[in-house]
Amino acid sequence: MADDNKKAGDCSSSDCQNLRSVTCTAPVNIAVIKYWGKRNEELILPTNASLSASLNQEHLKSTTTVAISESFDKDRIWLNGKEESIENPRLQNCLREIKRRARKRKLKSAVKPEVLNWHVHICSENNFPTAAGLASSAAGYACLVFSLAKLYGIEGDITEIARQGSGSACRSIYGGFVQWLVGQRKDGSDSLAEVVVNEKHWPDMRILVLVVSDQKKHTGSTHGMRNSVKTSEFLKYRAEYVVPNRTQEMIEAIQNKDYQTFAELTMKDSNQMHAVCLDTFPPISYMNDTSRKIIQLIHSYNGYHGYYKAAYTFDAGPNAVLYLPQENVAEVLSLVNHYFPPVAMGNGEKFIRGIDEDFHVEINQDLKSAIKLDPMPGAIKYVISTDVGPGAQVLQDKEACLLNENGLPKKCL
C-alpha cells in the first residue's frame, strides 16, 4: 500500500480524524485438562471444565492493534498481513458485546458516546504457525478482546467475551495456570476463566513445544468437537465422570508443585481426549506417526528411570508439548536431538529455540536400549523451549503498533 511507510512508527499522529489505537499481546495456552466439546455452540459453553498454562510470550504470542477513527468508512481486519472478512460471526459477537458494555458504562471514561459509532480497524499477527494445533485462535481472540476492552475503557471480567470468540481464548487472558469453569447457567455468565496460580508459582516448570507440522490441520477443532458431541458416548462419560475429579486433582497437584501427579494426569487427559476423537464417528485422528513416536519416547524414558521425568500433551494437532522440571530439560532435548535429528535449517534458523546454553547430554547405552526407537531425521521441524508466562498485556512502545497513521497495516501481503 502506497501510504504504509508514511510515519510508519507513529500511531499517535495521524492523517485520520481523531485516530485512537491500542496494541496488545496475548499468550498461547496449552491445556493439561482438555476442552473438547460444546454444550451450546452459539455461546461456546463447554461440556467440561479445562485447565491450561499460559506460555511465555517471547516465542508464542499474538499481537493485535485495534484503531478507531471517524475517518474510517467501514470495519476492516487483517490477519498475518492478509485482509479477511470482518463478518465472521464470532468476531461480530465480540465486537457487539464490547460495545454493549461500553454503552452500559455510560462512558464515564474519556471515551465519548459518538466514538462507539466510529468504525474499527483490526490488525493481528502471530509469531507462530496459525491453525496448526498451537492454539492460535485462543491467543488471537484473547488479544483482540483485551485490546478492544482497553480501547473502549471496559473494566471487569472480559473472559466471557473472549470465550465467545474462541472457547480457549478465555484462558489466554490470564497468565500462570488458568481454569475455564464449565458453569451451570444457560446464559453462560458463570462459564468464566479464573487463575489457579500465577506465572511465578512454579518457576521450575519448563515447557518444550515440539513442532511436528506447521501446516493447517485437516479437521478444524470446531468441526471435530461438533461431531464428537453428536456421536461419541465416551465424550459424555468423560465430561460427567472423569473431568470433575481429575480437574480438582490437577489443581491440587499444581498448588503443591507435585510433579509426579501432574505428569500422570497430563498424559492421561491428553490420551483420553484423543481417544474421544477416535470414538467419534467417523473417527478423527490429529496425531501422526511422529506424534506416536514421541509418546513412545517419553514413556520409555520415564520407564527407564522409574518415575516421571517428562510429560506429553497434544492438542488438536500432531505437535507435542512437554511439561518437565528444569533439571530434565538438557537430557530430554538431547534425546529429541538424537531420535528426531534436524535436517538442514534454512535462513540461519535454529532447531532448538529459546535456549542459549549448551543442552547436550551424553545418552548412555542402557537408556538407548530401553527406548528402542530408530532415529527419524526431519520428523520434528523445530523445538521451542519456554516456560509459564503472564497473560495479555498492553504494549506502550508505539513502534509495536501494527497500523500506520492512516489505520492501514504497516506490513501487508
Side-chain angles (χ1 to χ4, degrees), residues 135-154:
S136 58
S137 62
Y141 270 105
C143 200
L144 170 66
V145 170
F146 188 79
S147 301
L148 289 169
K150 294 300 180 183
L151 184 66
Y152 287 109
I154 304 300

Side-chain angles (χ1 to χ4, degrees), residues 4 7-12 19-23 64-68 72 76 78 120-124 398 400-411:
D4 279 3
K7 295 181 183 177
D10 186 1
C11 282
S12 58
L19 186 143
R20 305 180 186 186
S21 69
V22 173
T23 301
T64 299
T65 296
V66 292
I68 53 175
F72 294 164
R76 301 176 73 181
W78 294 265
V120 62
H121 284 190
I122 301 163
C123 189
S124 183
K398 290 184 172 61
C401 184
L402 302 179
L403 296 170
N404 66 14
E405 73 281 4
N406 297 310
L408 299 174
K410 295 177 182 176
K411 296 184 292 185

Side-chain angles (χ1 to χ4, degrees), residues 167-411:
S168 300
C170 66
R171 299 192 308 251
S172 279
I173 295 291
Y174 300 129
F177 284 90
V178 183
Q179 181 184 189
W180 174 13
L181 301 170
V182 63
Q184 301 298 325
R185 299 172 190 161
K186 291 183 178 180
D187 66 357
S189 58
D190 59 346
S191 186
L192 311 171
E194 63 179 21
V195 176
V196 175
V197 295
N198 67 30
E199 66 270 20
K200 297 179 181 179
H201 171 77
W202 203 344
D204 186 49
M205 181 67 79
R206 296 291 302 184
I207 298 147
L208 300 178
V209 181
L210 279 51
V211 180
V212 173
S213 171
D214 54 10
Q215 301 301 306
K216 187 173 182 179
K217 55 200 175 191
H218 295 296
T219 304
S221 299
T222 299
H223 180 71
M225 287 187 199
R226 184 181 299 124
N227 282 353
S228 292
V229 169
K230 287 180 179 178
T231 65
S232 175
E233 291 298 323
F234 191 20
L235 180 145
K236 300 177 181 64
Y237 179 85
R238 165 179 160 74
E240 185 173 354
Y241 296 106
V242 178
V243 173
N245 290 335
R246 183 173 285 173
T247 300
Q248 189 55 45
E249 290 173 8
M250 180 64 83
I251 289 172
E252 292 173 4
I254 292 168
Q255 290 173 336
N256 296 327
K257 303 175 190 174
D258 175 2
Y259 180 75
Q260 294 303 300
T261 299
F262 172 90
E264 182 167 318
L265 292 174
T266 295
M267 291 185 285
K268 282 184 173 180
D269 205 71
S270 176
N271 294 344
Q272 190 174 80
M273 189 205 88
H274 287 274
V276 168
C277 291
L278 290 176
D279 187 53
T280 301
F281 193 81
I284 309 166
S285 182
Y286 287 110
M287 292 191 287
N288 60 19
D289 287 343
T290 303
S291 308
R292 288 182 278 273
K293 293 296 184 184
I294 293 169
I295 290 174
Q296 182 181 342
L297 170 64
I298 297 303
H299 279 294
S300 298
Y301 172 58
N302 289 334
Y304 173 80
H305 287 284
Y307 60 98
Y308 301 124
K309 297 193 73 173
Y312 59 79
T313 187
F314 293 82
D315 281 345
N319 302 313
V321 177
L322 308 182
Y323 283 89
L324 68 167
Q326 173 67 47
E327 64 182 9
N328 301 333
V329 169
E331 187 174 32
V332 170
L333 285 175
S334 297
L335 288 169
V336 169
N337 203 54
H338 176 79
Y339 288 104
F340 305 96
V343 295
M345 304 294 291
N347 301 320
E349 292 180 327
K350 296 171 63 178
F351 179 59
I352 308 292
R353 305 174 187 181
I355 190 168
D356 295 323
E357 66 267 24
D358 182 15
F359 63 84
H360 293 285
V361 172
E362 190 67 30
I363 306 168
N364 69 57
Q365 191 57 48
D366 287 343
L367 178 54
K368 289 181 181 178
S369 298
I371 291 174
K372 298 177 182 177
L373 273 179
D374 294 325
M376 299 174 64
I380 292 177
K381 292 181 177 295
Y382 57 91
V383 179
I384 299 171
S385 176
T386 187
D387 55 7
V388 182
Q393 49 197 333
V394 177
L395 298 183
Q396 302 295 341
D397 183 4
K398 290 184 172 61
E399 293 294 326
C401 184
L402 302 179
L403 296 170
N404 66 14
E405 73 281 4
N406 297 310
L408 299 174
K410 295 177 182 176
K411 296 184 292 185

Side-chain angles (χ1 to χ4, degrees), residues 58-73:
E58 182 176 355
H59 290 97
L60 293 162
K61 68 180 177 184
S62 286
T63 303
T64 299
T65 296
V66 292
I68 53 175
S69 170
E70 59 183 314
S71 297
F72 294 164
D73 59 2

